[in-house]
Amino acid sequence: MGKKATLTSLDEIMKERVFEIDKIAKFDLNEPQKNYFYETDKTVGAIWCLEPGQEVYIHSHSNVDDMWVCMEGEGTYFPDLENEIPIKQGMVLLAKPNQIHGMRNTGNSRFMFVGFAAGSLPMDITKY
């Protein structure tokens, strides 16, 4: 089966490959927070933290898929410039390249989601 990981290498593996949301997530009453926890040449991961009323502006990317996993709270997802989708904890949202997307915390408590972008990085951003 191969060589067993030593304690030192296991610590290194944990630091590089195991992430704890509660240690990464940071909220700010003044603006939404995007807390990056990893990035490679193909993917990026971040934890978004929104206080009530805060939002991630409507935008698109031409070169990546952008997936959001709702972890806490509730809000509104904007799949285009005309529609709104109510969202809550446990839902997963996907925007493929050039698909518009955005999010607003419409609840009375904090809203948190984990975002993953995969494709050709760095990703571009077109705001609407």
Side-chain angles (χ1 to χ4, degrees), residues 58-71:
I58 297 173
H59 64 284
S60 67
H61 312 281
S62 68
N63 54 341
V64 298
D65 292 335
D66 205 354
M67 184 177 295
W68 293 345
V69 181
C70 302
M71 303 299 294

Side-chain angles (χ1 to χ4, degrees), residues 20-32:
E20 296 181 60
I21 291 174
D22 62 338
K23 291 181 179 176
I24 300 165
K26 304 281 187 269
F27 287 84
D28 184 324
L29 290 172
N30 298 311
E31 60 185 356

